[in-house]
Amino acid sequence: MFIKNVSLNDGTTIPQLGLGTYRLDDDSAERVVSEALEIGYRHIDTASLYGNEAGVGRAIAASGIPRDELYITTKCWNSEQPEARDALGRSLDRLGLDHVNLYLVHWPAPARGTFVGAWQEFENLKADGLTTSIGVSNFLVEHLDAIAAVSDTVPVLNQVELHPLLQQNELRAVHAERGIATESWGPLGHGKVDLTADLPSLALLAERYGKTPAQVVLRWHIQEGLIVFPKTTQRERLIENLSIWDFEIAEHDMDEIRGFNRDERIGAHPLEGNWD
Ligand code: NAD
């Protein structure tokens, strides 16, 4: 199964499409990740918050796939920011790995005042080989600026809510200037958007391409240069979401999807995400 790789600013590459695991418990993560790896997925996105790193790890171990063919991302939760080394150690233990490919600061949680210190520790974790790359999630430009003020290491990417209703154009322009890739979380609308009902013209567009609305949206992300990892527990949808490399959305149809933007968030605003 073909999956395109994209280059990151530290010389590494990442599969542009992977599998998200939010709201999967250990057992369902083990089952879904096993199926996904068997189907051809090689990039898995998890987080200590999701409580499923052990299940993800069991699926990786059982797959027999060489470690260097897999791309594993996990994230440092807000309350873990003051002890990022211990937090990554616990994540690695649960995953059964000696390193992850990418470690992310999950939220800036600015009211806690600890994300800049966490980033400085992330640089040490990278230097020690516990994670190959380091990046951030849910950062606004002001948070990118705050780490740039103390660190020469530019995050390889920023993982933010991004889908047709929230296209993050201004933030993406800043990313492009600074060499930061953009990952789209909630690429299909986080399970809270009915793509066909909310965007009726998307259904027509999908029909014209002989694809499902989900496939057209995922292909739109890909052609925009974004990195995606839609979540599903269903085998048919795992296959459907991966089957987006055999068609190309024409530029005028890309423009139509760009026109769906309403700057409408479904998830929390980064300034509000200060939870324990
Ligand atoms: P998503 O946009 O991937 O949507 C998931 C929903 O879409 C599910 O309800 C699923 O049933 C449905 N779906 C999946 N494939 C479909 C298809 N082919 N047709 C129709 N419906 C389909 O939302 P998500 O899970 O929130 O985001 C993806 C991943 O992003 C998460 O699993 C997680 O790994 C990551 N994430 C990160 C953050 C963060 O703060 N960094 C926040 C949320 C999610």
Side-chain angles (χ1 to χ4, degrees):
M1 188 70 88
F2 172 81
I3 301 173
K4 188 177 165 197
N5 281 311
V6 296
S7 297
L8 300 176
N9 68 24
D10 62 357
T12 61
T13 60
I14 182 171
Q16 200 178 356
L17 191 140
L19 174 73
T21 63
Y22 184 50
R23 290 193 188 284
L24 297 180
D25 64 18
D26 261 331
D27 287 343
S28 35
E30 182 177 0
R31 176 186 67 77
V32 176
V33 173
S34 291
E35 278 190 70
L37 293 175
E38 181 213 313
I39 290 166
Y41 286 77
R42 290 295 179 267
H43 165 186
I44 310 294
D45 183 271
T46 182
S48 60
L49 175 76
Y50 303 168
N52 61 22
E53 290 170 312
V56 171
R58 289 198 293 270
I60 292 170
S63 75
I65 297 169
R67 176 67 185 90
D68 62 3
E69 291 178 21
L70 296 173
Y71 195 99
I72 309 299
T73 300
T74 196
K75 313 185 190 88
C76 179
W77 185 239
N78 299 344
S79 53
E80 295 177 320
Q81 287 179 357
E83 40 122 21
R85 180 173 293 269
D86 288 347
L88 179 53
R90 291 192 297 271
S91 287
L92 291 174
D93 281 350
R94 287 187 292 259
L95 286 161
L97 299 176
D98 62 6
H99 73 286
V100 286
N101 298 79
L102 177 60
Y103 197 40
L104 300 179
V105 180
H106 202 149
W107 288 83
R112 308 176 77 95
T114 51
F115 75 88
V116 174
W119 183 255
Q120 290 171 306
E121 184 66 350
F122 268 42
E123 292 186 286
N124 299 327
L125 300 175
K126 175 178 153 70
D128 293 344
L130 298 171
T131 179
T132 308
S133 298
I134 55 176
V136 297
S137 179
N138 299 301
F139 272 38
L140 302 176
V141 175
E142 66 200 68
H143 308 125
L144 296 173
D145 288 343
I147 57 173
V150 300
S151 162
D152 290 333
T153 311
V154 179
V156 291
L157 58 81
N158 189 8
Q159 181 181 121
V160 294
E161 181 184 342
L162 205 159
H163 41 73
L165 301 183
L166 176 71
Q167 299 189 14
Q168 301 268 23
N169 293 319
E170 286 166 24
L171 183 62
R172 281 162 62 193
V174 173
H175 288 171
E177 268 166 32
R178 300 186 187 185
I180 300 171
T182 307
E183 283 193 332
S184 308
W185 70 250
L188 296 172
H190 200 39
K192 293 184 180 158
V193 177
D194 180 339
L195 292 175
T196 320
D198 290 9
L199 300 170
S201 57
L202 176 66
L204 296 175
L205 219 138
E207 221 176 281
R208 265 201 279 126
Y209 283 94
K211 294 285 173 182
T212 65
Q215 287 175 315
V216 168
V217 169
L218 293 173
R219 180 71 203 184
W220 171 81
H221 285 273
I222 295 294
Q223 288 182 215
E224 289 285 70
L226 304 163
I227 301 157
V228 277
F229 27 88
K231 187 206 91 178
T232 178
T233 55
Q234 299 175 27
R235 187 181 180 87
E236 319 82 70
R237 284 183 169 173
L238 285 171
I239 296 169
E240 176 184 332
N241 294 348
L242 204 54
S243 307
I244 58 167
W245 303 100
D246 59 349
F247 76 114
E248 174 113 13
I249 303 175
E251 197 49 31
H252 61 273
D253 291 331
M254 288 292 288
D255 277 341
E256 182 170 350
I257 302 173
R258 290 179 188 121
F260 296 152
N261 185 35
R262 298 180 201 152
D263 287 331
E264 195 174 292
R265 272 180 207 280
I266 294 164
H269 190 281
L271 295 178
E272 290 159 7
N274 296 293
W275 320 274
D276 278 334

